[in-house]
Amino acid sequence: MNGFYSLWSAPYFLKKPKTAFMMQDFDLITLLLSVAAFEKYNGQTKMYADEAALAYLKERSLEKIFSRGVELLSVPGDIDPAVFWAAGKLCALQMEQMPCVMIDTDLIIWQSIGKTLRNKQVAVIHREELNPEIYPAPEHFQMQQAYQFPAGWDFRVQPANTALLYLKDAAFRDAYVAEALRFMHSLAPTTDHLCPMVFAEQRILPMCAQARGLHIYAFCDRMEQLREQNLFTHIWGHKNVLKFNMDERRAFIRRCLKRLQREFPQMYETAMGLAEFQEVF
Amino acid sequence: MGKLFHWLDRGKAETVVGYDNRINRLQAFHAGYAFLSWENYSAELCAFAAYAVWNGEFNAKLENPMPSGGFMMHCTPEQAQELCAFPDGFPLFVKLLAKQGRLYVENMVLADQERVYDFYFNGCEVTPPERLRLVFAGQREPADAHREEYLPEKNAPAEEPKRPQGSAGSLRGSYRRGSAGSYLRGSFVAGSYRLGAYRWGSAAVGSYRSWLEQFSGSSFRQRGISGSYYGAVWGNGSFGRSAIGSGRFFTGGSWRFGGWLVGSYRFGGFGGSYAGWRGQGGSYQGFGSGSFAGGSYRGALFGIGSYAGGSFRILFGTGSSFLREAFYTGSYIGGCYRHGSFLYSGLTGVAFLLEVDTGAELPAGEEAAALQLYPGQSHVRRLIEEMGYGLDLI
């Protein structure tokens, strides 16, 4: 089972122009742990990164941690990175060979998922509640005149969280990415930085799947299950705590380093070679 | 962009390591205000979810600019009751950390006049105050003074002091330093500042007049015993509830504060009395000079006074204070005054009041104290373990 990650620096530069791209230490250690765990339990990994992100990785010799190497990520220039901050994922998905697992850089998979994915067409980490504040009705979006939502889409379908996304079939992948990109290209300029992105990424997917008669397997059906499972670590909103709470941040990094040392000594050596972790503050 | 915090930038000739060392040796300084209210207090957790307003220029220099919400502060219900009696912002002090040339907040404390409280981010929800009375400590001492006060190692990069400028919405303007005199000259959006004597302020703030004063940053520094201030906000020697700003008062008269006092104030003269601070009946009998600054005070030449239920004593060159059970000591003349481990000179700037309607609605009966809340009733939650999942698997 192949897995891949992606790094698109354009959203970063919106917030920090005229700086060099960088990953914060907690982001970086999570990625190292994620790659190490995936390679141990599931298979080979690859990183799709745009020029700035690639330079960042290469400067630290981190391209070597991905057994399938790194590849230059290209995202259409007319996609607004402020609105579609995760467009890089979809563009990377378009470049990857199927079947594969798309993994967020803040997600760690602690066990083999190959057996579970056998005979599955599409799998996601969990489904989402159809909260109208986050997933509003299609009329919410100001689309360019030429755009029409496909007639076959059922907007009552629960969204699917793609922190982990498994796709078996290249044809479905092509259809999903094409629809997502078409939506991104057709959305009128907006200041809404949440709803359009999650629509393109997490709502178009299940609607496309349903329109093609594909079942989506979810590792967790309910949000509550996420608290009980022992398969994934998803840093998710905890990143905010790590950003603003230095005590938590240090504790988190130390915990990750200890886990690397205990279970992934090679990756631990890599981490300790990085200035970020030579002194944990 | 303002330039008050330019000393947080890395100098052109400064190495990353040198910069990190310089920043990591800084003491905590004033960088924002926290707003506390009953509706954001949990008696179960003994904690406030706090709403913070940060100095924008300072915040922009951080690698991760601080948000307004998500902060928690622990205190007993009794302390909460005292804190909630004061609806305006409490000063927030931050200790910075630099790593590889990037700035982070190491930790934060909220300062009341008598205590400091640990203040930390855990992502908890906070209901914004209905109306924010934002009190900007705004200006600090000029850049060269900063180096003296904040960088005892004097390893800051050599840069020309930059002209102070108000933070967004605050004072703006230009000034010119007098080459021989102890004055600066300039003008502001909200007033004017003239040679020798000046007026400053706006209709919302009032005006000050002074002679032989040095204007430094936005604080007023007395130069010589002949210097004096007179005049005050809305009245001759009295403050209404909207007493804000920074001033230094040399008077033998009596000053009365109808409500609260924020910003930085220095009091001087002989036998002056100052009453009604924060409406608590606190008083200050001053010899020499002293100041109250949003719950802190700055040192003086010498003086003895009482202070809101406690007392403090100040001697030339060093100062100590006894504010109830807390004890603070430090030196300040020609340098800085330290309140515990915290430097208070950051409060000397002009405070500035801005009323902002946040659009939030306060529930009726806000005064329903947290003491009356049943466990689980408060919306304040400790969310630190709830914002990701599988974190314990690491």
Side-chain angles (χ1 to χ4, degrees):
Chain A
M1 180 69 59
N2 286 337
F4 75 94
Y5 301 83
S6 60
L7 280 176
W8 184 34
S9 65
Y12 175 91
F13 288 120
L14 285 179
K15 291 180 181 171
K16 297 181 190 299
K18 299 177 185 173
T19 60
F21 175 80
M22 60 95 69
M23 293 177 75
Q24 304 217 36
D25 46 14
F26 59 84
D27 280 329
L28 189 53
I29 197 74
T30 307
L31 176 62
L32 296 185
L33 206 43
S34 177
V35 172
F38 193 87
E39 298 236 348
K40 177 174 178 177
Y41 296 115
N42 286 291
Q44 295 188 312
T45 59
K46 186 173 188 174
M47 169 61 85
Y48 292 89
D50 66 2
E51 206 168 338
L54 214 48
Y56 169 83
L57 294 172
K58 286 183 175 175
E59 195 179 308
R60 287 160 177 75
S61 301
L62 288 177
E63 76 275 19
K64 296 172 188 166
I65 69 172
F66 305 98
S67 54
R68 289 196 295 131
V70 293
E71 191 169 333
L72 185 64
L73 173 67
S74 173
V75 179
D78 59 344
I79 289 181
D80 183 352
V83 178
F84 296 109
W85 32 269
K89 277 172 68 175
L90 295 170
C91 294
L93 179 63
Q94 184 66 62
M95 298 168 74
E96 179 69 348
Q97 287 187 336
M98 299 293 110
C100 73
V101 180
M102 181 171 79
I103 314 158
D104 276 6
T105 54
D106 65 344
L107 179 78
I108 306 167
I109 304 169
W110 294 112
Q111 296 173 21
S112 169
I113 54 174
K115 204 172 175 181
T116 309
L117 294 179
R118 199 175 298 157
N119 303 322
K120 305 287 189 306
Q121 293 288 322
V122 184
V124 296
I125 188 166
H126 63 84
R127 303 303 289 259
E128 299 270 2
E129 295 295 325
L130 199 49
N131 179 346
E133 288 185 13
I134 301 170
Y135 302 103
E139 299 77 40
H140 169 84
F141 301 109
Q142 298 289 317
M143 307 304 297
Q144 291 171 4
Q145 274 191 333
Y147 182 86
Q148 294 286 328
F149 289 106
W153 283 1
D154 181 354
F155 287 92
R156 295 168 300 178
V157 175
Q158 272 192 315
N161 188 295
T162 60
L164 178 156
L165 172 63
Y166 166 78
L167 294 181
K168 185 178 183 184
D169 180 33
F172 175 69
R173 181 271 315 269
D174 292 343
Y176 161 51
V177 173
E179 281 299 341
L181 289 175
R182 191 169 75 91
F183 175 80
M184 292 185 200
H185 288 302
S186 306
L187 186 73
T190 176
T191 55
D192 184 346
H193 295 171
L194 177 64
C195 298
M197 184 67 249
V198 293
F199 182 89
E201 183 189 357
Q202 305 197 144
R203 208 166 167 196
I204 288 180
L205 172 75
M207 290 192 296
C208 279
Q210 194 198 42
R212 283 162 181 75
L214 296 176
H215 172 72
I216 295 183
Y217 172 80
F219 283 91
C220 298
D221 285 326
R222 293 173 295 110
M223 287 296 284
E224 297 76 47
Q225 280 183 299
L226 289 169
R227 312 252 172 247
E228 299 155 6
Q229 53 81 35
N230 57 5
L231 182 53
F232 307 107
T233 293
H234 193 189
I235 309 301
W236 193 44
H238 191 65
K239 278 186 280 192
N240 276 331
V241 174
L242 300 176
K243 268 185 191 175
F244 305 122
N245 187 324
M246 206 50 77
D247 289 337
E248 286 293 324
R249 182 170 176 154
R250 286 195 193 94
F252 175 83
I253 291 172
R254 286 198 190 104
R255 217 163 69 206
C256 290
L257 285 171
K258 279 184 184 171
R259 182 65 185 263
L260 282 176
Q261 188 177 25
R262 196 169 65 237
E263 195 175 343
F264 312 103
Q266 203 174 341
M267 193 65 90
Y268 176 75
E269 291 303 318
T270 303
M272 293 314 288
L274 300 172
E276 283 87 345
F277 307 117
Q278 282 170 358
E279 44 157 339
V280 185
F281 295 21
Chain B
M1 180 61 74
K3 296 172 181 174
L4 299 169
F5 286 94
H6 74 98
W7 48 276
L8 290 178
D9 294 335
R10 184 154 73 92
K12 286 176 185 170
E14 195 173 29
T15 63
V16 171
V17 173
Y19 174 76
D20 288 356
N21 287 338
R22 175 168 69 84
I23 295 296
N24 292 337
R25 287 179 192 152
L26 287 177
Q27 298 189 52
F29 60 87
H30 181 211
Y33 287 90
F35 293 83
L36 307 174
S37 62
W38 279 124
E39 62 179 334
N40 285 318
Y41 185 74
S42 162
E44 187 182 4
L45 295 175
C46 280
F48 277 109
Y51 189 85
V53 176
W54 301 99
N55 178 294
E57 185 198 356
F58 157 78
N59 209 21
K61 292 186 184 300
L62 296 176
E63 180 64 22
N64 300 309
M66 306 289 274
S68 293
F71 297 96
M72 189 163 266
M73 190 200 92
H74 291 270
C75 66
T76 65
E78 291 75 20
Q79 290 168 332
Q81 208 156 23
E82 288 179 24
L83 293 166
C84 284
F86 184 51
D88 306 306
F90 288 92
L92 285 174
F93 289 79
V94 299
K95 172 77 180 77
L96 285 180
L97 171 101
K99 193 181 177 199
Q100 297 180 311
R102 295 172 191 265
L103 276 181
Y104 304 91
V105 169
E106 167 73 48
N107 53 40
M108 300 164 275
V109 294
L110 179 149
D112 188 20
Q113 75 263 35
E114 297 160 8
R115 301 182 183 90
V116 292
Y117 300 88
D118 287 338
F119 196 78
Y120 65 96
F121 183 91
N122 74 346
C124 59
E125 288 180 25
V126 60
T127 304
E130 185 183 22
R131 291 179 71 80
L132 271 186
R133 295 212 289 202
L134 301 182
V135 184
F136 292 97
Q139 321 280 2
R140 301 171 55 135
E141 304 279 337
D144 46 359
H146 276 305
R147 294 212 181 86
E148 288 298 316
E149 295 188 348
Y150 294 100
L151 306 175
E153 295 81 13
K154 296 183 180 178
N155 55 357
E159 288 182 19
E160 284 296 314
K162 293 170 182 173
R163 294 192 302 183
Q165 231 178 342
S167 53
S170 181
L171 286 176
R172 292 178 186 281
S174 60
Y175 69 93
R176 185 161 59 83
R177 187 187 295 273
S179 57
S182 55
Y183 60 85
L184 300 174
R185 179 180 181 176
S187 62
F188 294 94
V189 169
S192 64
Y193 177 79
R194 292 196 291 266
L195 179 67
Y198 67 87
R199 290 173 183 270
W200 166 81
S202 68
V205 178
S207 65
Y208 294 120
R209 292 184 182 191
S210 77
W211 280 265
L212 297 174
E213 298 291 328
Q214 182 190 28
F215 183 83
S216 58
S218 65
S219 69
F220 302 93
R221 176 165 291 187
Q222 184 67 35
R223 306 292 280 186
I225 58 171
S226 60
S228 64
Y229 269 114
Y230 70 90
V233 181
W234 287 316
N236 191 9
S238 67
F239 287 77
R241 248 192 85 71
S242 299
I244 58 166
S246 175
R248 179 174 295 199
F249 306 92
F250 274 70
T251 173
S254 175
W255 295 82
R256 186 167 293 278
F257 303 100
W260 42 268
L261 186 62
V262 293
S264 175
Y265 293 85
R266 297 184 180 194
F267 303 90
F270 290 89
S273 67
Y274 307 90
W277 182 70
R278 277 195 191 177
Q280 293 180 6
S283 66
Y284 173 76
Q285 304 290 331
F287 288 104
S289 69
S291 73
F292 292 15
S296 68
Y297 65 89
R298 289 192 60 137
L301 297 176
F302 50 84
I304 300 172
S306 62
Y307 178 83
S311 65
F312 68 85
R313 178 178 303 168
I314 301 173
L315 301 174
F316 185 83
T318 61
S320 62
S321 61
F322 299 86
L323 301 176
R324 295 188 182 171
E325 69 274 25
F327 170 72
Y328 308 106
T329 185
S331 62
Y332 48 87
I333 297 297
C336 60
Y337 180 71
R338 288 173 188 169
H339 182 114
S341 60
F342 299 101
L343 201 66
Y344 268 20
S345 51
L347 286 172
T348 55
V350 166
F352 165 74
L353 184 79
L354 175 66
E355 294 212 351
V356 178
D357 190 343
T358 63
E361 290 183 10
L362 283 182
E366 182 196 11
E367 65 277 7
L371 294 168
Q372 297 169 349
L373 294 175
Y374 295 104
Q377 191 175 353
S378 169
H379 76 280
V380 178
R381 294 282 182 274
R382 184 189 292 275
L383 288 178
I384 210 157
E385 66 280 357
E386 296 174 11
M387 297 179 72
Y389 48 85
L391 297 175
D392 56 336
L393 299 175
I394 295 174

